[in-house]
Amino acid sequence: MSSLTCPLCGLRYPARSLLDLHIREDHAQRDAKPAAPAAEAQDQAQDQAQAQDQAQAQAQDPAPPPPRAERASWAETARRALSRMLGRAA
């Protein structure tokens, strides 16, 4: 009996096709060429700076909440529906 355990992460699968799919989809990053560490660190620093800028902008100028639409009560909704069914104007 063959082992249906992923050799990369140790997850077990009930069928060989599922194991193959897992390896193909979930471990595809291992086949890809890794990014340069300096470029990756620079990208992370830029992302953190943008997140901080957005947080400061939100803290300085909070937007007012949007106005809430008035919802008709259940009885009013039923009355309007009944009027439409009977052909009367509501």
Side-chain angles (χ1 to χ4, degrees):
M1 180 174 174
S2 66
S3 173
L4 297 176
T5 303
C6 176
L8 300 172
C9 65
L11 291 175
R12 293 181 182 212
Y13 288 90
R16 179 72 184 183
S17 59
L18 292 175
L19 175 61
D20 292 341
L21 178 67
H22 161 73
I23 291 172
R24 200 170 44 245
E25 296 294 322
D26 295 341
H27 295 296
Q29 303 92 2
R30 290 183 182 236
D31 294 337
K33 184 178 179 182
E40 197 172 291
Q42 185 180 13
D43 290 343
Q44 288 178 351
Q46 287 176 349
D47 291 342
Q48 288 176 350
Q50 287 176 350
Q52 288 176 351
D53 291 342
Q54 289 175 352
Q56 287 176 353
Q58 288 176 353
Q60 292 172 357
D61 187 25
R68 296 186 76 187
E70 283 288 322
R71 291 191 73 181
S73 68
W74 180 88
E76 180 64 21
T77 303
R79 186 191 65 76
R80 288 178 186 169
L82 184 59
S83 295
R84 280 194 304 271
M85 288 172 55
L86 297 175
R88 299 183 203 149

